[in-house]
Amino acid sequence: AALTPLPGAEIPHLHSSHVPVGLFRTSIDVAGRSVQLVLPEDEDVIVNMYAALGRPDDDPHWATLWQGSVALAEHVLSHPDLVRGKRVIDLGTGLGLAGIAAGLAGAAEVVMTDREPRALYCALCGAAANGLSILPMPKEVSAAEDDDVELPAVIRFTGDIDGDGDAAIREDDGGVSASADYRGRRSAAAGASADRAAAAV
C-alpha cells in the first residue's frame, strides 16, 4: 500500500536531529473496508533509531504490518458478533490493526498492549485516523524508557470522525489504567501499569 507522509509528524527520541523517524499514513483493505494505519516508513528507520539509542538488538518488527494481524482483522470485521459489546485485548498490538478492527466492529473496549511505547503511539494514531476518539497517553506510557523523551500528543485527523465516547484515566493499583463509558460509541484510551504499556480502543 502507498505511504502518505504526515508533515511534521515524527516519533521523537534523543537523536531525532540526525536520525529522524517520520510517520506516514496508509490505507489497507480489510474485509471490504478501508482501514487507516499510521507507521514509520520502514523497519530500517527503526533499526537506525535503536542503533543511535545504543540498543541495536531491539526488535524493530512492530513497525511492519504483520500478516497475522491482517488475518485477525479480516476475521473480526467479517464476524463482528465475535467482539460486539465485549471487552477485547490485543496482545503485542504493533501497529494496532487487530485492535482497531475490533473497535470498528463494535467492541465495548479494546485494550492494546505492546512492550514498545512507540508502537502504542502509532496504534493510537491509527485509531484516531479511523475515527476513534482517544485519550492522551499518560506519562507512564508516553515517555520511552530508553531515553525518557516524551511522545507528542496523538495526531488529530480531520474528516468524518464520529467517536465522542466519554473516557477517563484513573489511578489503579499504583499504576495508570484506562476506562471508558462507550454507550455504543467507539473510543480509545491509553494507560499503563508498572510493567507494561497498554492502550484501549
Side-chain angles (χ1 to χ4, degrees), residues 19 42-53 55-56 58-60:
V19 186
D42 57 38
E43 276 186 24
D44 290 341
V45 172
I46 302 304
V47 168
N48 292 339
M49 177 192 73
Y50 285 147
L53 292 171
R55 296 171 41 200
D58 275 18
D59 183 359

Side-chain angles (χ1 to χ4, degrees), residues 107-109 131-136 156 161-169 179-190 200-201:
E109 180 180 32
L132 303 172
S133 63
I134 55 110
L135 284 177
R156 299 295 179 184
I161 306 239
D162 61 357
D164 62 351
D166 303 317
I169 293 174
S179 67
D181 174 11
Y182 297 95
R183 297 190 194 111
R185 293 170 274 184
R186 301 181 303 241
S187 295
V201 175

Side-chain angles (χ1 to χ4, degrees), residues 50-127:
Y50 285 147
L53 292 171
R55 296 171 41 200
D57 296 326
D58 275 18
D59 183 359
H61 299 304
W62 62 265
T64 298
L65 181 59
W66 287 38
Q67 291 307 308
S69 180
V70 175
L72 184 55
E74 281 270 351
H75 190 71
V76 166
L77 287 175
S78 296
H79 304 89
D81 52 309
L82 292 172
V83 298
R84 188 177 296 121
K86 298 177 182 175
R87 296 179 70 195
V88 177
I89 187 165
D90 183 5
L91 297 172
T93 195
L95 297 173
L97 177 60
I100 290 168
L104 294 173
E109 180 180 32
V110 177
V111 178
M112 298 171 167
T113 64
D114 202 288
R115 63 184 173 185
E116 174 57 75
R118 293 173 180 101
L120 284 175
Y121 177 74
C122 288
L124 288 176
C125 289

